Amino acid sequence: MTTSAFLRACRGRRASVVPVWFMRQAGRSLPEYRALRRSGSILEVIRQPDLAAEITLQPVRRYGVDAAILYSDIVVPVSALGFGVDIVPGIGPVVAEPFATEGDLGRLRDLVPEVDLPWVAETIGILIAELEVPLIGFAGAPFTLASYLVEGGPSRSFARTKALMYGNPDLWHRLMGRLAAITSTALRAQVDAGVQAVQLFDSWVGNLSPEDYRLYVAPATEQVFAAMADLGVPRIHFGVGTGEILDQMAACDVEVVGVDWRVPLPRARTLVRPHQALQGNLDPTALLAPWPVLRTMATSVLRAGTSTGPGYVFNLGHGVLPESDPAQLERLVDLVHGWEPDAGR
Ligand code: CP3
């Protein structure tokens, strides 16, 4: 495992191949997932360690990716605390009683992993006994989690979230502080159970201006990474639409910065710190293109990524879309693994 191409690249070391994994690699685009998944809430499936472990392994077997990502969801910790979150297929997380007032802070007590979500450590235990590649743990960052809790569901404008942020900054910061503590505890428990890297998903933070990011988000996110500093596993920080805030995201104490598809990787290189690795950033919709087009687009990303140094992990610029053909992902992994950094330049 110490020779893992993924872990080496996360540390900025040269690896035998360019490592590749895909955000949301487990899931609806796989027929074997749909066969296992059946009906019921995804939150119920996640609570079954044998099933969750099997779903985590499916993309590793099929694609030969260089890392597995735990089958879970960003709302699992707040749901386990009883906040009242469900995941509705085709929509996403939905909260019956959204966060609105100071009284709602009481619904976000400290997480006690071994009591509130013992199945997570159990699933990780099964996986590390089986896997030959590293297992990535993850959590939602405070802003993205707060947006679901405050909006009550997915949002385009983040109007309620921003209204709280601007209108009651004191309550906003207390909410972010609670979410940072819960997230840190959840991630530390995953590392204690055996995950070898962690990714913090701040999927919707690109909807903020750089100034708002600095004022309203950075302190809580930095708190999460600082709480992980002693664990010795690579920490990945990812968000979507982050071109204008990537420098601030990289100012956190992290080893890897995830880049969405809008930002050319050489440009990202100038925004992050020299020792940090980059991860990304093929547009997920490229998987819907005919193979020759996908190959050209992926080659361009590979060339850009490898030109930035050995600290490079190939990934998409956001999660795999459900309508993607698994055969395209298989071809893509082969292309990345066949890449010779000095050829094709
Ligand atoms: O590779 C993996 O699939 C790992 C597991 C994983 C899931 N969710 C499982 C899941 C990961 C890493 C996530 C993270 C997640 N969840 C994020 C951050 C990543 C991102 O895409 O930005 C976010 C924002 C969520 C919230 C969420 N959960 C959304 C928006 C959805 C999609 C709703 C839909 O049906 O369109 C979910 C549901 C979800 N989480 C699915 C899976 C496999 C699909 C639904 C299902 O199988 O029931």
Side-chain angles (χ1 to χ4, degrees):
M1 196 68 82
T2 48
T3 58
S4 150
F6 168 71
L7 293 176
R8 289 186 66 83
C10 288
R11 299 280 182 199
R13 301 198 187 111
R14 207 158 284 286
S16 50
V17 290
V18 175
V20 47
W21 69 280
F22 303 111
M23 291 183 270
R24 303 288 286 273
Q25 64 192 10
R28 290 168 302 170
S29 60
L30 285 179
E32 58 268 38
Y33 171 76
R34 285 194 293 266
L36 264 187
R37 169 76 177 78
R38 298 192 208 93
S39 56
S41 169
I42 179 179
L43 294 173
E44 288 303 313
V45 181
I46 290 168
R47 292 167 73 110
Q48 300 169 56
D50 287 326
L51 205 49
E54 175 57 24
I55 293 170
T56 304
L57 292 167
Q58 285 177 342
V60 180
R61 284 194 206 109
R62 186 189 269 254
Y63 302 132
V65 282
D66 298 284
I69 180 157
L70 182 67
Y71 183 73
S72 183
D73 195 85
I74 59 167
V75 298
V76 163
V78 286
S79 160
L81 288 177
F83 199 88
V85 189
D86 201 3
I87 297 182
V88 180
I91 297 179
V94 173
V95 176
E97 289 177 58
F99 183 98
T101 65
E102 183 153 359
D104 291 320
L105 287 170
R107 297 161 66 199
L108 293 168
R109 64 166 170 83
D110 283 337
L111 183 74
V112 184
E114 55 283 16
V115 177
D116 296 320
L117 29 73
W119 62 85
V120 172
E122 219 180 299
T123 305
I124 294 169
I126 296 171
L127 283 166
I128 55 174
E130 290 260 329
L131 278 166
E132 285 167 16
V133 293
L135 176 62
I136 303 170
F138 72 92
F143 175 80
T144 292
L145 286 178
S147 77
Y148 283 116
L149 300 191
V150 174
E151 302 289 336
S155 172
R156 275 180 187 276
S157 63
F158 296 88
R160 282 183 175 204
T161 310
K162 292 186 181 185
L164 175 64
M165 207 163 81
Y166 302 138
N168 192 344
D170 177 59
L171 180 57
W172 170 260
H173 285 298
R174 288 166 74 195
L175 167 61
M176 292 290 275
R178 290 309 307 139
L179 292 172
I182 291 163
T183 298
S184 306
T185 304
L187 285 173
R188 287 189 71 90
Q190 292 179 29
V191 175
D192 286 347
V195 304
Q196 289 115 322
V198 290
Q199 176 157 324
L200 195 69
F201 285 92
D202 212 349
S203 303
W204 314 135
V205 78
N207 291 286
L208 295 180
S209 70
E211 184 65 358
D212 285 351
Y213 183 86
R214 185 177 69 79
L215 287 174
Y216 299 109
V217 176
T221 298
E222 279 166 14
Q223 191 183 322
V224 175
F225 287 117
M228 310 274 301
D230 60 321
L231 294 176
V233 301
R235 293 160 290 174
I236 310 169
H237 193 188
F238 170 76
V240 180
T242 55
E244 300 299 326
I245 56 170
L246 209 59
D247 53 342
Q248 293 190 68
M249 291 177 67
C252 289
D253 188 11
V254 298
E255 285 69 31
V256 187
V257 179
V259 184
D260 81 83
W261 71 93
R262 297 167 183 87
V263 183
L265 290 168
R267 161 94 183 124
R269 184 79 264 166
T270 67
L271 297 170
V272 308
R273 293 187 283 165
H275 68 278
Q276 288 171 326
L278 295 176
Q279 175 177 280
N281 71 344
L282 180 68
D283 187 333
T285 56
L287 289 165
L288 310 179
W291 170 244
V293 177
L294 170 58
R295 185 180 52 208
T296 304
M297 292 174 78
T299 302
S300 159
V301 169
L302 265 169
R303 188 173 293 125
T306 51
S307 76
T308 66
Y312 173 60
V313 177
F314 187 95
N315 205 314
L316 304 180
H318 195 185
V320 175
L321 295 168
E323 54 269 52
S324 307
D325 176 359
Q328 294 278 77
L329 286 150
E330 282 170 40
R331 292 185 196 112
L332 187 51
V333 170
D334 291 344
L335 179 79
V336 177
H337 283 163
W339 177 258
E340 289 178 30
D342 298 320
R345 277 200 179 163

